CSV table of all heavy atoms in Angstrom, one decimal:
chain,number,residue,atom,x,y,z
A,522,SER,N,3.1,7.0,9.8
A,522,SER,CA,2.4,5.7,9.6
A,522,SER,C,1.3,5.9,8.6
A,522,SER,O,0.8,7.0,8.5
A,522,SER,CB,1.8,5.2,10.9
A,522,SER,OG,0.9,4.1,10.7
A,523,VAL,N,1.0,4.8,7.9
A,523,VAL,CA,-0.2,4.8,7.1
A,523,VAL,C,-1.4,5.1,8.1
A,523,VAL,O,-1.3,4.7,9.2
A,523,VAL,CB,-0.4,3.5,6.4
A,523,VAL,CG1,-0.6,2.4,7.3
A,523,VAL,CG2,-1.6,3.6,5.4
A,524,ASN,N,-2.4,5.9,7.6
A,524,ASN,CA,-3.6,6.2,8.4
A,524,ASN,C,-4.8,5.5,7.8
A,524,ASN,O,-4.9,5.4,6.6
A,524,ASN,CB,-3.8,7.7,8.4
A,524,ASN,CG,-2.9,8.5,9.3
A,524,ASN,OD1,-3.1,9.7,9.5
A,524,ASN,ND2,-1.8,7.9,9.7
A,525,MET,N,-5.6,4.9,8.6
A,525,MET,CA,-6.9,4.5,8.2
A,525,MET,C,-8.0,5.2,9.0
A,525,MET,O,-7.8,5.4,10.3
A,525,MET,CB,-7.1,3.0,8.4
A,525,MET,CG,-8.4,2.4,7.8
A,525,MET,SD,-8.4,0.6,7.8
A,525,MET,CE,-7.5,0.3,6.2
A,526,LEU,N,-9.0,5.8,8.4
A,526,LEU,CA,-9.9,6.7,9.1
A,526,LEU,C,-11.4,6.3,8.7
A,526,LEU,O,-11.6,5.7,7.6
A,526,LEU,CB,-9.7,8.1,8.7
A,526,LEU,CG,-8.3,8.7,9.0
A,526,LEU,CD1,-7.5,8.7,7.7
A,526,LEU,CD2,-8.3,10.1,9.5
A,527,ASN,N,-12.3,6.8,9.5
A,527,ASN,CA,-13.7,6.6,9.2
A,527,ASN,C,-14.5,7.9,9.7
A,527,ASN,O,-14.1,8.4,10.7
A,527,ASN,CB,-14.3,5.4,9.9
A,527,ASN,CG,-15.7,5.1,9.5
A,527,ASN,OD1,-16.6,5.7,9.9
A,527,ASN,ND2,-15.9,4.0,8.6
A,528,LEU,N,-15.4,8.3,8.9
A,528,LEU,CA,-16.3,9.5,9.3
A,528,LEU,C,-17.4,8.9,10.2
A,528,LEU,O,-18.3,8.3,9.8
A,528,LEU,CB,-16.9,10.1,8.1
A,528,LEU,CG,-17.8,11.4,8.3
A,528,LEU,CD1,-17.0,12.5,9.1
A,528,LEU,CD2,-18.4,11.9,7.0
A,529,VAL,N,-17.2,9.2,11.5
A,529,VAL,CA,-18.1,8.6,12.5
A,529,VAL,C,-19.2,9.6,13.0
A,529,VAL,O,-20.1,9.2,13.7
A,529,VAL,CB,-17.3,8.1,13.7
A,529,VAL,CG1,-16.4,6.9,13.3
A,529,VAL,CG2,-16.5,9.2,14.4
A,530,GLU,N,-19.1,10.8,12.6
A,530,GLU,CA,-20.1,11.8,12.9
A,530,GLU,C,-20.1,12.9,11.8
A,530,GLU,O,-19.1,13.4,11.4
A,530,GLU,CB,-19.8,12.5,14.3
A,530,GLU,CG,-21.0,13.4,14.8
A,530,GLU,CD,-22.2,12.6,15.3
A,530,GLU,OE1,-22.0,11.5,15.9
A,530,GLU,OE2,-23.3,13.0,15.0
A,531,GLY,N,-21.3,13.2,11.3
A,531,GLY,CA,-21.5,14.2,10.3
A,531,GLY,C,-21.9,13.5,9.0
A,531,GLY,O,-22.0,12.2,8.9
A,532,THR,N,-22.2,14.3,8.0
A,532,THR,CA,-22.8,13.7,6.7
A,532,THR,C,-21.7,13.5,5.7
A,532,THR,O,-21.7,12.5,5.0
A,532,THR,CB,-23.9,14.6,6.2
A,532,THR,OG1,-23.3,15.9,5.9
A,532,THR,CG2,-25.1,14.6,7.1
A,533,SER,N,-20.8,14.4,5.5
A,533,SER,CA,-19.8,14.3,4.5
A,533,SER,C,-18.6,15.3,4.7
A,533,SER,O,-18.8,16.3,5.3
A,533,SER,CB,-20.4,14.6,3.1
A,533,SER,OG,-20.9,15.9,3.1
A,534,VAL,N,-17.4,14.9,4.2
A,534,VAL,CA,-16.2,15.7,4.4
A,534,VAL,C,-15.4,15.6,3.1
A,534,VAL,O,-15.7,14.7,2.2
A,534,VAL,CB,-15.3,15.2,5.5
A,534,VAL,CG1,-16.0,15.5,6.9
A,534,VAL,CG2,-14.9,13.8,5.4
A,535,LEU,N,-14.4,16.4,2.9
A,535,LEU,CA,-13.5,16.4,1.8
A,535,LEU,C,-12.1,16.2,2.5
A,535,LEU,O,-11.7,16.9,3.4
A,535,LEU,CB,-13.5,17.6,1.0
A,535,LEU,CG,-14.7,17.9,0.2
A,535,LEU,CD1,-14.6,19.3,-0.5
A,535,LEU,CD2,-14.9,16.8,-0.9
A,536,VAL,N,-11.3,15.2,1.9
A,536,VAL,CA,-10.0,15.0,2.3
A,536,VAL,C,-9.1,15.7,1.3
A,536,VAL,O,-9.1,15.4,0.1
A,536,VAL,CB,-9.6,13.5,2.4
A,536,VAL,CG1,-8.2,13.3,3.0
A,536,VAL,CG2,-10.6,12.7,3.2
Side-chain angles (χ1 to χ4, degrees):
S522 165
V523 64
N524 288 187
M525 187 170 277
L526 306 96
N527 187 286
L528 180 59
V529 295
E530 188 72 40
T532 57
S533 60
V534 296
L535 293 174
V536 187

